[in-house]
Amino acid sequence: MLKADKAVLVVVDIQGKLATLMHNREVFYQNVIRMINGARALEIPILWNEQLPDKLGETIPEIKEVLRDKKPLIKKSFSCCGNPDFVDQLKQLKCKQVLLVGMETHICIYRTALDLLHDGYKVYLVTDAVASRVPENKQLGIEVIKERGGLMTSVEMALFEIFDTAEGDKFKQMVQIVK
């Protein structure tokens, strides 16, 4: 069961021109924004990653705006775990539940998920907040992550899993976020 005090949101590589080539990109962007806003409301830490922004471009403005108080972790490897700064920050958080969002599902999300699983983390793939250029590649990435032990969730499922009852200010805030 997801718990706010045990979870971290990892945002992966929603950058440059490549982000504009994602299948169903507008829905993907909105779901990532909802997940980020939900994590903020629940006080879940967020680790934001960019791969070679000098070559691939920076995070798209829509996502960058909701991460404005954060600084991206710059990586060269496909997996976020190939970046020692990411690994150090993740360890410092002492959160063993990792919510993964970003792109591309069959490359950087896939490699990050497998490395995290190998390192003993419980990986929650937010399937409506990951994307690939080709739908079949997204589906294959999801299937293999699941086969290797990742757990599948969605933005609403993940955010509402944290609540026991449908009451309180945070619950009301969450309803507004997912609308």
Side-chain angles (χ1 to χ4, degrees), residues 53-72:
D54 56 326
K55 293 185 171 99
L56 298 176
E58 294 182 352
T59 298
I60 61 167
E62 301 94 310
I63 305 298
K64 196 173 186 176
E65 172 60 25
V66 293
L67 293 168
R68 65 190 165 279
D69 63 331
K70 303 270 179 211
K71 184 177 180 205

Side-chain angles (χ1 to χ4, degrees), residues 56-126:
L56 298 176
E58 294 182 352
T59 298
I60 61 167
E62 301 94 310
I63 305 298
K64 196 173 186 176
E65 172 60 25
V66 293
L67 293 168
R68 65 190 165 279
D69 63 331
K70 303 270 179 211
K71 184 177 180 205
L73 297 162
I74 308 304
K75 65 186 183 74
K76 295 177 185 174
S77 60
F78 292 122
S79 172
C80 294
C81 297
N83 178 356
D85 291 336
F86 171 82
V87 173
D88 290 345
Q89 286 192 31
L90 185 60
K91 283 181 183 175
Q92 287 175 15
L93 291 171
K94 296 183 175 152
C95 296
K96 294 305 270 184
Q97 299 176 336
V98 179
L99 290 152
L100 267 181
V101 302
M103 57 183 247
E104 283 189 82
T105 311
H106 65 295
I107 304 172
C108 296
I109 295 290
Y110 166 75
R111 295 290 299 269
T112 300
L114 267 54
D115 284 346
L116 289 167
L117 289 164
H118 179 266
D119 292 342
Y121 290 90
K122 196 172 222 179
V123 174
Y124 291 80
L125 184 66
V126 186

Side-chain angles (χ1 to χ4, degrees), residues 9-15 18-19 22-23 28-29 31-33 35-36 47-49 59 63 75 80 99-110 112 124-133 138 142 145 155:
L9 175 63
V10 174
V11 180
V12 183
D13 305 345
I14 309 170
Q15 302 169 238
L18 186 58
M22 293 301 107
H23 176 74
F28 164 59
Y29 298 166
N31 284 334
V32 170
I33 291 167
M35 196 67 222
I36 292 167
L47 295 178
W48 166 27
N49 298 272
T59 298
I63 305 298
K75 65 186 183 74
C80 294
L99 290 152
L100 267 181
V101 302
M103 57 183 247
E104 283 189 82
T105 311
H106 65 295
I107 304 172
C108 296
I109 295 290
Y110 166 75
T112 300
Y124 291 80
L125 184 66
V126 186
T127 60
D128 56 350
V130 294
S132 293
R133 288 164 288 151
K138 174 183 174 178
I142 289 169
I145 292 167
V155 172

